[in-house]
Amino acid sequence: MTEARGPAGRAGDHARYAPGTPCWVSLMVHAVAATQEFYGALFGWEFRPGPGQLGPSVRALLDGREVAGIGQLPPDRHLPVAWTPYLASDDAGQTAETARLCGGTIGVGPLDAGEAGRLAIGSDPSGAVFGIWQAAAHQGTALSGVPGTPAWNELLTYESATVAKFYKSVFGHEEEPLVSADVDYVTLCVGGRPVAGIHGLGSALPRDRGPHWLTYFEVADADEAVERLVGLGGHVLKDAEDGERGRVATVADPEGALFCLLQRAR
C-alpha cells in the first residue's frame, strides 16, 4: 500500500494510505455554518454533506477533492473543540482493541460510516484524542501539497518516549528521536518516511488543554493568512516565524480550535 506523495513532495492525489499514516482530519464544532464560513474564507474550501453516523457533518473540498471534515457537536455534550487526526488502519476493530491493550481508551466505535469506511475515536495514555480510519469508498484526504490542505500532524504532550511506544505498538510506527539535550522530539515514520511528530513539552504544556494533536495546514503566505484569519474572527497564539519546516504561525478559529499555518520553505 502506498501514498501518492511524501510530506515534502509535490502536490497530488492520494492512493490508499499505508497503515499508521495520518489520512484525514476532522473538527467537531457547535456552529457548523459559521465554521464553514470561516474556513471557506480562510482556505478557499467548499462543502458538501458528509455521512451522518456521528451527527450532521460536511466534507470540505478543494478543487472538488475532499480535504477535511466538520461535524456538529451534540448540544448536551461539552467536549473540547479540536482538530482530530485519523490514522489509517487495515482493521479498525483490531487497531482499537490493540489501543485498549496498550493503555489507550476508545470512546467512539468502532462503527461503520456507511460506504465510506469504518472508524473509531480514542485517546492515547496521555489523554490526546486521535481517530482510526479503515478506508472503503473514502480513502481520506484526497489532495495535498497545495494551500488549504493538511500538511503535518504533531502531538504535543508531556514527554515523547512513552507515548511514542504506544503509537509504535498500535500502528507499527518506526521512531526517529531527535538527539538534543534541549528538545524532546520523536518523528513517527512509516516505511522510513516521516508521517507525524511527537513533541514533549514537560511543564510548558498548557494545563488548560493537556496533551493534544495539532494539525498544520499549508498556506502560500503565512503572514497574509494570519492577517486574513484575524479579520475573520480567529486568534493568533504564536506569530509567524521561520523554522525547520518553513514559516509557521499557531492560531485558533473562532470556537477555539487550535491549528498551525505552514508556509513551506522553498
Side-chain angles (χ1 to χ4, degrees), residues 31 56 71 76 88 91 105 108 112 121 126 129 144 158 164 179 187 191-192 215 226 247 250:
D76 58 339
D91 187 328
T105 301
V108 176
D112 291 323
I121 301 173
S126 74
V129 176
S144 61
Y158 294 109
V179 180
T187 300
T215 297
V226 166
R247 192 161 179 79
T250 304

Side-chain angles (χ1 to χ4, degrees), residues 18 20 38 48 72 87-88 98 104 111 157 220 246 253-254 258:
F38 173 81
R48 68 180 175 209
Q72 175 76 56
L87 281 66
T98 303
L111 56 83
T157 188
D253 68 20
L258 296 183

Side-chain angles (χ1 to χ4, degrees), residues 59-96:
R59 293 261 175 86
L61 293 89
L62 198 61
D63 295 332
R65 286 166 283 188
E66 296 175 343
V67 295
I70 299 173
Q72 175 76 56
L73 276 170
D76 58 339
R77 299 190 69 182
H78 301 287
L79 300 173
V81 176
W83 282 100
T84 300
Y86 284 72
L87 281 66
S89 168
D90 284 338
D91 187 328
Q94 185 178 59
T95 301

Side-chain angles (χ1 to χ4, degrees), residues 23-162:
C23 61
W24 185 246
V25 290
S26 71
L27 175 65
M28 300 293 285
V29 298
H30 299 287
V32 173
T35 300
Q36 287 180 238
E37 289 183 15
F38 173 81
Y39 285 101
L42 182 63
F43 293 139
W45 290 351
E46 298 177 337
F47 300 90
R48 68 180 175 209
Q53 279 72 15
L54 296 178
S57 67
V58 294
R59 293 261 175 86
L61 293 89
L62 198 61
D63 295 332
R65 286 166 283 188
E66 296 175 343
V67 295
I70 299 173
Q72 175 76 56
L73 276 170
D76 58 339
R77 299 190 69 182
H78 301 287
L79 300 173
V81 176
W83 282 100
T84 300
Y86 284 72
L87 281 66
S89 168
D90 284 338
D91 187 328
Q94 185 178 59
T95 301
E97 182 58 26
T98 303
R100 287 193 193 97
L101 293 173
C102 292
T105 301
I106 300 299
V108 176
L111 56 83
D112 291 323
E115 297 179 352
R118 190 165 171 79
L119 68 86
I121 301 173
S123 57
D124 64 30
S126 74
V129 176
F130 65 93
I132 299 166
W133 182 251
Q134 177 186 337
H138 175 65
Q139 298 294 331
T141 302
L143 180 68
S144 61
V146 297
T149 60
W152 183 249
N153 287 281
E154 191 167 275
L155 173 59
L156 305 184
T157 188
Y158 294 109
E159 58 86 26
S160 66
T162 301

